[in-house]
Amino acid sequence: MWLFGRKGPSGFSSSFTAEEVTQGIDGTGLTAIVTGASSGIGTETARVLALRGVHVIMGVRNVAAGRDVKEAIVKEIPTAKVDTMELDLSSMASVRKFAADFSSSGHPLNLLINNAGIMATPFMLSKDNIELQFATNHIGHFLLTNLLLDTMKKAARTSKREGRIINVSSEAHRYTYKEGIHFDKINDQSGYSNFAAYGQSKLANVLHANELAKRLKVDGVDITANSLHPGAIVTNLFRHMGPISGLVNIFGKIALKNVQQGAATTCYVALHPQVKGRSGEYFKDSNIGQASAHGRNAELAKKLWDFSMKMVK
């Protein structure tokens, strides 16, 4: 149970659940992609969006686990429209295949929720030879978003409904390397810190959303891009953190959010009418928050965009 629950300007606080912040909202006719939907807050995000009438496509690395989640959602909500598709965000080939398969399905796309993530892993390289946390948490989502943008623009035009792109970041974006992003040392094992590298990837989520928001505004399309901190939550993200993992499981139920509360800000930003027209913001506890100085640095955001574009070729 989360201990501190003072309401913000939205009328919500850290103690509200995803169901509570979307109460009475009808998402019928909307289609959403949720990455990393086979566990944790991704699963709860998919469930609550489906509960509100949204057609949810779960992008999952583990297809069997994704199928189990889909079956559980449909068992609870017989009217739910849920599909699973394979997506490994650490592989650009997998991201390209997912985007191509989705585009050829003919589905519109109104909501893109870049939720999947790994945390504080030992130093490893992805299949594309990029440090694994940066590759999975940022580059995979950056590429996915770019590949699906035309589909989202078309849906926004034809449906006359605002498209929303949401990057699930973390307050850990404040605890990155000193420069913010190690542009010249992304794959440098000697200077690697597993937690600073996680913070770097989460800062990248914020900067990506901010730069994208700016570009969408210039394009004049009805699509917003925002980032958010879901809250400290007991999920399997902590699995690479050794003794901390055990402490999290022991004390987490007192001091951390549960999964229902952890998915609240994502569902709020995805569906709530209060968020209409808001773009380039950083949300926390279903309210507008403030990112770090690095997270608000427009030059850094532009530099990351250009750097990422080169990486995805």
Side-chain angles (χ1 to χ4, degrees):
M1 177 58 202
W2 185 241
L3 294 175
F4 310 105
R6 186 177 295 168
K7 289 180 184 178
S10 69
F12 302 119
S13 71
S14 58
S15 64
F16 280 72
T17 66
E19 282 198 34
E20 288 168 343
V21 300
T22 58
Q23 192 66 46
I25 296 173
D26 184 7
T28 306
L30 297 174
T31 302
I33 288 174
V34 181
T35 69
S38 61
S39 66
I41 62 171
T43 294
E44 180 66 0
T45 299
R47 184 189 75 82
V48 173
L49 292 182
L51 181 66
R52 302 296 175 229
V54 179
H55 178 195
V56 179
I57 288 91
M58 305 192 310
V60 295
R61 193 175 54 193
N62 183 334
V63 177
R67 272 199 298 265
D68 289 346
V69 169
K70 175 187 172 175
E71 284 172 17
I73 291 173
V74 173
K75 189 175 178 183
E76 183 201 340
I77 312 156
T79 56
K81 291 169 73 177
V82 184
D83 292 301
T84 56
M85 289 175 62
E86 188 173 0
L87 173 62
D88 178 357
L89 284 148
S90 70
S91 160
M92 289 194 219
S94 175
V95 172
R96 291 183 193 281
K97 184 180 186 307
F98 175 93
D101 288 349
F102 180 82
S103 297
S104 64
S105 73
H107 291 308
L109 182 60
N110 310 96
L111 309 171
L112 174 58
I113 299 175
N114 292 321
N115 164 81
I118 56 172
M119 179 181 181
T121 56
F123 182 83
M124 285 181 268
L125 293 178
S126 71
K127 290 167 186 167
D128 303 297
N129 290 315
I130 303 165
E131 187 276 309
L132 193 61
Q133 296 191 81
F134 194 75
T136 305
N137 297 353
H138 168 61
I139 290 294
H141 283 127
F142 178 85
L143 177 60
L144 180 68
T145 304
N146 278 7
L147 293 173
L148 294 172
L149 212 45
D150 283 344
T151 305
M152 288 199 75
K153 287 177 180 178
K154 184 182 175 185
R157 278 195 309 270
T158 56
S159 70
K160 301 285 192 288
R161 294 174 84 166
E162 179 182 80
R164 296 183 182 182
I165 297 167
I166 298 159
N167 285 355
V168 178
S169 177
S170 166
E171 281 289 274
H173 83 275
R174 301 179 192 281
Y175 308 105
T176 178
Y177 298 108
K178 189 180 173 186
E179 315 90 311
I181 306 285
H182 259 179
F183 290 107
D184 301 325
K185 301 175 185 174
I186 285 292
N187 294 341
D188 180 16
Q189 188 171 357
S190 64
Y192 182 78
S193 154
N194 61 354
F195 200 78
Y198 177 66
Q200 171 179 253
S201 71
K202 295 287 99 182
L203 172 61
N205 293 154
V206 176
L207 294 171
H208 171 217
N210 291 353
E211 179 65 18
L212 180 58
K214 193 180 288 183
R215 287 165 183 262
L216 290 167
K217 191 174 181 182
V218 169
D219 286 351
V221 291
D222 192 17
I223 301 173
T224 61
N226 293 291
S227 59
L228 62 88
H229 169 58
I233 302 143
V234 184
T235 72
N236 62 8
L237 264 185
F238 288 97
R239 65 188 176 275
H240 294 291
M241 297 186 71
I244 293 174
S245 179
L247 290 172
V248 164
N249 284 327
I250 294 165
F251 297 110
K253 290 177 178 64
I254 303 167
L256 305 182
K257 289 183 178 183
N258 60 35
V259 170
Q260 291 77 20
Q261 293 164 329
T265 304
T266 305
C267 291
Y268 171 77
V269 178
L271 289 182
H272 209 285
Q274 286 179 355
V275 183
K276 186 168 173 57
R278 292 282 188 177
S279 199
E281 301 282 6
Y282 175 77
F283 287 82
K284 180 181 171 184
D285 298 331
S286 303
N287 282 275
I288 291 175
Q290 188 176 60
S292 68
H294 280 317
R296 302 191 306 275
N297 186 326
E299 282 181 30
L300 191 62
K302 172 72 167 66
K303 187 175 179 182
L304 176 65
W305 184 280
D306 295 340
F307 181 77
S308 305
M309 274 300 209
K310 282 178 190 161
M311 276 195 147
V312 301
K313 299 175 185 66

